[in-house]
Amino acid sequence: MWWDSIFCEGRPDFILAFKLRALKDKLKEWTKTSHGNLAMQKQSMLAKLAELEEIQDQRALTEDETLSKAELFVDFENIAKCEEIA
């Protein structure tokens, strides 16, 4: 486990603080890489939503398109929440 791979000597409270700082750095790294660039994800979702809006201006959306639009809104909200946390 990653937590156990960090070696530090000292009092238990010092070890915990040291490992928490290391965890913070790892989480920042994870957010930028594995989790992806949130700004790019938001931009992509906004482009897809704009595309669906253009289609909706021309005709009624199909059931699949309506579902896709709703999922994009939910995903966009989740990314916005993640940005607030980060």
Side-chain angles (χ1 to χ4, degrees):
M1 179 181 201
W2 174 86
W3 184 264
D4 296 329
S5 69
I6 296 176
F7 180 74
C8 179
E9 291 183 0
R11 296 188 327 254
D13 60 335
F14 175 79
I15 293 171
L16 177 62
F18 182 84
K19 287 188 174 191
L20 287 175
R21 280 191 301 273
L23 176 60
K24 180 181 175 183
D25 292 339
K26 285 286 189 183
L27 287 173
K28 283 183 180 181
E29 179 183 324
W30 173 79
T31 298
K32 291 178 184 175
T33 57
S34 298
H35 193 56
N37 185 333
L38 295 179
M40 285 180 61
Q41 288 180 18
K42 263 181 38 178
Q43 187 176 21
S44 173
M45 286 180 190
L46 287 174
K48 290 176 186 175
L49 284 169
E51 185 179 312
L52 288 170
E53 290 290 331
E54 285 183 31
I55 293 171
Q56 191 173 17
D57 288 343
Q58 298 170 3
R59 62 169 171 79
L61 295 177
T62 65
E63 188 175 322
D64 286 342
E65 290 169 334
T66 304
L67 180 61
S68 177
K69 186 176 177 181
E71 288 174 351
L72 283 168
F73 274 121
V74 170
D75 291 345
F76 186 83
E77 288 177 359
N78 289 336
I79 286 178
K81 288 177 186 176
C82 287
E83 278 186 326
E84 289 175 12
I85 293 170

